[in-house]
Amino acid sequence: MAVTFAFILVTIWWLTQDSRVPEFDPGLHAGFSFLFRDQISAGHPFAWFSDWTQYPPLVHLIGALVTFITGKGIWPGVMAENLIFVPLLAAGVYGAAKTVYRSELAGFLAVVFALGTPMIVSQFHEFMLDAPETAMVAASVWLVLASAHFERVGTAALAGVAVGFGFLVKESFPAFIAGAVVVAAAQGLWRRNWRGLLVFIAVAAVIALPWYIHHWSQVRALSHIASANGNDNSPGSEYPTRYSTKNAGWFLWSALNYQNYAPMLAFAAVGAVVAVVHLVKRPWRYPLTLEILAGGLVAWTGATYSLPHDPRYSLPGLPYLAILGAGWVTMLRPRWRLVAAAVLCAFAFANVVAISTGFGRRVAITLPGAPKTSGLHERQLTILSDKGYTYGEPHRSGDLLGMMRALHKRGFRYIAWNFAQATLPQYNNEGLSALANAAGLKVGNSPRKPPTDGVVLEWGPVTPGSCRRLYNSTGVTPVIPLKRPVDVCPR
């Protein structure tokens, strides 16, 4: 509980320090939430179900609903994700690790592992789907394990609820629970726990199936795109050929250099080896590690099979790493158990501090044969980094949302910019569009002649007259087109 609360407090502090333009996908997802909010306000309460955004609607709907309380903005959606999905992630890995290893220490260390994972720190500072999907995987696996192979019908129903809502977070969700669920279901059927299994399937289907039936053609089209083979095995490529060593090792390097870093991944690797040894030599001691190993293997296979690759796309497999990485520590003798637990906690704490504050620098070991340039950093082992993925330290970057809100108060209703220029993380179309929507401005040129109720953003190198300065040392200034120069920069 304390670790979860501390993690959320760090996010609250971070949000008070950051005022950047949302970067690409975070801006896109915030825009979808604002779209649902506008549709609901306009008398279309089920637009979240009928409208196609390429993603299931749960997280966007949560983001939309919270704005009815807070008003539109970037931080409400991020905070809603933290308040809902951080406790779910913590409860899921705690409950699963405790169930598998019959140890409260294993549960605690699994929470430390999960919330101290570098990419989790970054992803819960932005409005995205991958961290919520990870939380739903953790909750689903925990409840499936807690159902005792679906013998406990009530718990099996709760597992169905978690899985059903997980399906409504992102289409890739099934790949991350399939291994664990299939192994548990096979053992449940062997023990004739078919009632619990049927309840589990029925509850999940009632929650998720209607949306997938309604959007089946679009979902199927996306699956065809994701199953296409790659053709580029150059260093760092997101499209390696499927049956190649480049593809097989892609998510290993992303885990080492973006998602987990080498120390945390080493804990998980030791845990996986120990789990396999116990299953071979003493299968009765920790039998539920079979579900965890199967879940992790299928999750890796699913992420590796689909294209394009992105380090975020394997993040929902994190619960398996956290459970395995924590569990083996509890098997050590007391003195070594204390040392191993302290080391794990130290790396987790360092990750949270470095990524949230930008304190420190990237420390990595470069192996022989490493490519000179690669965004994936193949043949490198990152020990610690302050960069995050993709959000690291907070940036006071112009507060363009505050500027746009001030423009709206001054009577402006339209805003435009050069879309061809807005292709940088600090200044991008998706983020600017989300901010404009939150400020009550329509994106586009004013229909008035002359356009006295519309402004155009001018972006470029910082000058003495720049209205707002971004963190890449460029400036943004609103101007009224087709009129004499007028200072419309809110002061």
Side-chain angles (χ1 to χ4, degrees):
M1 182 68 74
V3 174
T4 305
F5 185 66
F7 184 95
I8 295 174
L9 284 180
V10 170
T11 298
I12 294 173
W13 168 83
W14 191 94
L15 290 172
T16 66
Q17 306 302 304
D18 188 83
S19 60
R20 76 184 75 193
V21 176
E23 298 182 7
F24 302 112
D25 283 356
L28 182 71
H29 292 298
F32 289 146
S33 288
F34 298 156
L35 172 65
F36 288 167
R37 201 262 195 191
D38 292 341
Q39 292 280 54
I40 294 171
S41 297
H44 306 290
F46 298 105
W48 59 270
F49 180 86
S50 59
D51 289 0
W52 171 248
T53 64
Q54 298 186 32
Y55 303 96
L58 180 61
V59 175
H60 300 144
L61 179 60
I62 290 172
L65 294 177
V66 75
T67 62
F68 283 102
I69 302 172
T70 64
K72 288 182 182 178
I74 302 305
W75 71 263
V78 178
M79 278 309 307
E81 284 196 349
N82 274 258
L83 293 175
I84 294 171
F85 294 107
V86 170
L88 271 177
L89 174 59
V93 295
Y94 178 89
K98 181 181 177 181
T99 301
V100 171
Y101 292 100
R102 299 184 291 278
S103 165
E104 292 186 357
L105 177 61
F108 170 76
L109 293 178
V111 174
V112 170
F113 189 114
L115 298 185
T117 293
M119 190 178 287
I120 281 291
V121 179
S122 293
Q123 290 296 293
F124 274 118
H125 290 168
E126 52 189 313
F127 191 71
M128 293 283 282
L129 307 185
D130 305 278
E133 183 183 12
T134 305
M136 296 311 301
V137 170
S140 299
V141 170
W142 166 40
L143 292 169
V144 166
L145 295 176
S147 72
H149 302 116
F150 303 102
E151 179 180 354
R152 300 166 183 162
V153 177
T155 307
L158 290 176
V161 172
V163 168
F165 282 119
F167 269 81
L168 294 180
V169 172
K170 202 171 181 182
E171 291 94 340
S172 60
F173 178 81
F176 293 98
I177 62 163
V181 170
V182 168
V183 171
Q187 297 189 58
L189 289 175
W190 179 262
R191 301 176 187 185
R192 298 183 178 180
N193 296 333
W194 56 269
R195 289 185 181 85
L197 181 58
L198 287 179
V199 168
F200 165 77
I201 295 172
V203 171
V206 166
I207 293 172
L209 203 55
W211 186 87
Y212 278 88
I213 291 175
H214 186 72
H215 294 286
W216 180 244
S217 60
Q218 294 104 323
V219 172
R220 187 176 180 185
L222 278 182
S223 68
H224 283 310
I225 295 172
S227 61
N229 197 5
N231 55 10
D232 183 3
N233 285 336
S234 61
S237 168
E238 298 174 354
Y239 293 90
T241 54
R242 178 162 292 122
Y243 303 108
S244 65
T245 55
K246 284 284 185 181
N247 191 42
W250 205 98
F251 283 105
L252 170 63
W253 296 117
S254 74
L256 286 166
N257 296 304
Y258 287 109
Q259 186 187 123
N260 307 100
Y261 300 162
M264 306 285 278
L265 196 62
F267 268 82
V270 172
V273 171
V274 170
V276 170
V277 170
H278 275 288
L279 283 176
V280 172
K281 293 186 175 181
R282 293 177 290 274
W284 61 87
R285 189 171 184 186
Y286 302 109
L288 293 178
T289 53
L290 179 60
E291 279 91 329
I292 303 304
L293 290 169
L297 179 61
V298 174
W300 171 81
T301 303
T304 302
Y305 184 84
S306 63
L307 290 175
H309 289 335
D310 185 292
R312 287 183 291 109
Y313 293 169
S314 64
L315 181 61
L318 170 65
Y320 303 112
L321 300 180
I323 294 164
L324 293 170
W328 70 273
V329 174
T330 65
M331 304 178 193
L332 299 173
R333 294 181 178 179
R335 179 180 299 177
W336 291 110
R337 185 190 312 150
L338 179 62
V339 171
V343 170
L344 177 58
C345 292
F347 277 114
F349 179 78
N351 289 335
V352 173
V353 171
I355 292 169
S356 298
T357 67
F359 178 78
R361 61 185 180 87
R362 182 172 182 259
V363 179
I365 299 171
T366 301
L367 303 177
K372 293 183 179 180
T373 58
S374 170
L376 191 59
H377 301 304
E378 292 101 321
R379 295 185 179 274
Q380 293 186 41
L381 310 177
T382 300
I383 308 300
L384 186 67
S385 177
D386 61 324
K387 300 304 180 185
Y389 189 86
T390 55
Y391 280 25
E393 65 179 300
H395 289 295
R396 293 194 179 277
S397 187
D399 186 19
L400 296 195
L401 177 57
M403 180 191 75
M404 292 182 187
R405 284 174 170 164
L407 291 171
H408 185 271
K409 288 182 180 179
R410 292 180 60 176
F412 294 98
R413 295 296 178 263
Y414 293 85
I415 190 167
W417 56 86
N418 186 332
F419 286 86
Q421 288 183 332
T423 58
L424 299 175
Q426 302 87 350
Y427 186 78
N428 64 90
N429 289 308
E430 294 87 348
L432 290 171
S433 296
L435 295 183
N437 189 313
L441 299 174
K442 296 180 180 180
V443 177
N445 293 314
S446 170
R448 289 188 179 182
K449 302 295 183 181
T452 55
D453 64 339
V455 297
V456 174
L457 298 183
E458 289 189 350
W459 171 82
V462 173
T463 66
S466 294
C467 180
R468 293 289 191 271
R469 178 170 179 161
L470 307 183
Y471 72 89
N472 65 339
S473 299
T474 60
V476 177
T477 301
V479 299
I480 304 176
L482 303 179
K483 286 186 60 78
R484 62 182 176 82
V486 176
D487 183 10
V488 294
C489 177
R491 302 300 181 185

